[in-house]
C-alpha cells in the first residue's frame, strides 16, 4: 500500500480551537483554547486520509490578526510548501478574518500544493460542533492531488470554496461561508467532488511572492453611509495611509461631501480604491464616479476587507494607479 500523503496542520486559534462551559454553549465560549495536538488527537479518523502533523503557529482569535501575523504565517506556509516531504497544508483559523488570510495566501504563496484554510462556527465542546468534520474535510482536500493548482481553498460546511471568493456571511449558523460565484466543489465522507476552477490569478500564476515581502504598507477602510462625513478620510490621510479603501454604498457610490476629501488624498499620492459595502455584485469603473478623471481604482468584485489585502500586496510592487487597476482586474 502506498504511503499516505503528509499534511501539516498549522493552527492559529479561533473557534475551531474554542471551548465553552457547557454543551449548550454554541455562541458563548472562549476561542483559541485547545492546542493543535489535542485537536488532532481528538480526530483519529484523519489517519485514514493522510499522515498528519501539527504545528501551533499562534493561538488567537482571528479579529486580532495583524499584518505581522499574515507575514509570519505566509512565510511558514511557503517554507513548508517547498519541503519535499510535505504534500499539503491545512491552516486552522478563526472565522472572522479567515477570508482575508485565505486571500492573502492565495496571492503570495508560490506553490501548486493544496493549501486549505478551515474554521468552525461552534466550539468543539458544543452540541453539533462543526469543527471536527470541517477539519477532516480540510485534511482530505489537502491530501488530494486534485486540489493542487486551484489556489488557496476553504472547506466549511461540506463545501470547497475558493479562498479568493468566499466570505463569512452570517455570524451564527454553520452555513456561514459563501461566495456569489458558488463553491468549487464538495467533500462527502472524505472524498472530494469538483465542479469548477478559479478564473483569477493565484499562487503559481501570481506575480507576488511572500519570499520577497518583508513588510506590508498601511491600507485602511472607510465605510459609506447616510450623512457621511470626512473625519475618517482626513484622519487616515494624516496618519500616512498608502491606500484607502472606500466601502461605498450601492455600486461603490461616494457621498458628494466625501469626494473632495478623497481627491485631496489622491493628490497627496494616496491610492483611492472604490469598493462597495453591498455583499455581492461588483463595482464598475467610471460608473457612479469618474474614476479615470480622479485617478481612482475600482475593487472589481472584492469586498472591502479583501480589497485591503490585495492593495497591500500590490503596493509592495507598484505605486502606479494603472498597474494597481490591472492587478484588481486580474486577481
Ligand atoms: N467562529 C469563529 O471562529 C469566531 C471566533 C473568533 N471571533 C475568531 O474569529 O477567531
Amino acid at each position: 500500500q502506498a504511503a499516505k500523503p503528509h499534511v501539516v496542520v498549522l493552527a492559529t486559534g479561533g473557534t475551531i480551537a474554542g471551548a465553552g462551559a457547557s454543551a449548550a454553549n454554541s455562541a458563548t465560549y472562549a476561542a483559541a483554547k485547545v492546542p493543535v495536538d489535542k485537536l488532532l488527537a481528538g480526530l483519529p479518523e484523519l489517519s485514514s486520509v493522510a499522515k498528519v502533523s501539527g504545528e501551533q503557529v499562534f493561538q488567537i482569535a482571528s479579529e486580532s490578526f495583524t499584518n505581522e501575523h499574515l507575514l509570519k504565517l505566509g512565510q511558514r506556509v511557503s517554507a513548508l510548501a517547498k519541503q519535499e516531504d510535505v504534500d499539503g497544508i491545512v491552516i486552522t483559523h478563526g472565522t472572522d478574518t479567515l477570508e482575508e488570510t485565505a486571500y492573502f495566501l492565495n496571492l503570495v504563496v508560490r506553490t501548486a500544493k493544496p493549501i486549505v484554510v478551515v474554521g468552525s462556527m461552534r466550539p468543539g465542546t458544543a452540541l453539533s460542533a462543526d469543527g471536527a468534520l470541517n477539519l477532516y474535510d480540510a485534511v482530505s482536500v489537502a491530501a488530494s492531488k486534485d486540489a493542487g493548482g486551484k489556489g488557496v481553498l476553504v472547506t466549511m460546511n461540506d463545501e470547497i470554496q475558493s479562498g479568493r471568493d468566499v466570505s463569512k456571511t452570517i455570524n451564527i449558523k454553520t452555513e456561514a461561508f459563501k461566495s456569489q460565484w458558488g463553491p468549487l466543489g464538495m467533500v462527502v465522507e472524505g472524498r472530494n467532488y469538483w465542479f469548477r476552477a478559479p478564473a483569477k490569478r493565484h499562487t503559481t500564476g501570481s506575480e507576488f511572492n511572500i519570499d520577497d515581502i518583508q513588510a506590508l504598507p498601511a491600507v485602511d477602510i472607510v465605510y459609506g453611509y447616510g450623512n457621511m462625513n470626512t473625519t475618517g478620510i482626513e484622519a487616515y490621510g494624516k496618519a500616512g495611509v498608502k491606500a484607502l479603501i472606500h466601502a461605498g454604498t450601492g455600486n461603490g457610490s461616494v457621498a458628494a461631501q466625501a469626494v473632495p476629501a478623497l481627491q485631496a488624498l489622491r493628490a497627496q499620492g494616496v491610492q483611492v480604491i472604490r469598493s462597495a459595502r453591498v455583499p455581492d455584485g461588483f463595482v464598475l469603473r467610471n460608473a457612479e464616479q469618474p474614476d479615470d478623471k480622479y485617478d481612482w481604482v475600482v475593487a472589481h468584485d472584492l469586498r472591502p476587507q479583501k480589497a485591503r489585502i490585495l492593495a497591500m500586496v500590490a503596493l509592495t510592487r507598484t505605486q502606479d494607479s494603472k498597474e494597481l487597476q490591472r492587478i484588481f482586474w486580474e486577481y
Side-chain angles (χ1 to χ4, degrees), residues 78 81 108-112 203-210 212 317:
S78 173
V108 300
V109 180
R110 292 266 188 98
T111 183
T203 56
T204 50
S206 175
E207 69 204 80
F208 310 108
N209 187 342
I210 185 72
D212 305 329
R317 299 270 305 222

Side-chain angles (χ1 to χ4, degrees), residues 54-69:
E55 218 177 281
Q56 194 78 47
V57 187
F58 317 120
Q59 186 64 295
I60 60 172
S62 71
E63 61 271 26
S64 304
F65 250 71
T66 62
N67 290 349
E68 286 66 42
H69 289 107

Side-chain angles (χ1 to χ4, degrees), residues 3-9 45-52 86-90 112-116 135-148 153 155 160 187 190-192 194:
K4 291 257 185 283
H6 179 205
V7 172
V8 179
V9 176
E45 294 79 5
L46 290 177
S47 64
S48 67
V49 285
K51 176 178 154 247
V52 179
V86 173
D87 298 295
I89 298 157
V90 167
K113 290 182 186 175
I115 301 171
V116 187
L135 181 54
Y136 180 72
D137 288 350
V139 170
S140 80
V141 173
S144 153
K145 282 244 180 311
D146 296 342
L153 303 165
T155 55
I160 309 167
V187 193
R191 274 199 68 181
N192 304 172
W194 296 92

Side-chain angles (χ1 to χ4, degrees), residues 14-37:
T15 297
I16 195 164
S22 100
N25 288 128
S26 61
T28 315
Y29 57 87
K33 287 282 162 211
V34 183
V36 65
D37 294 345

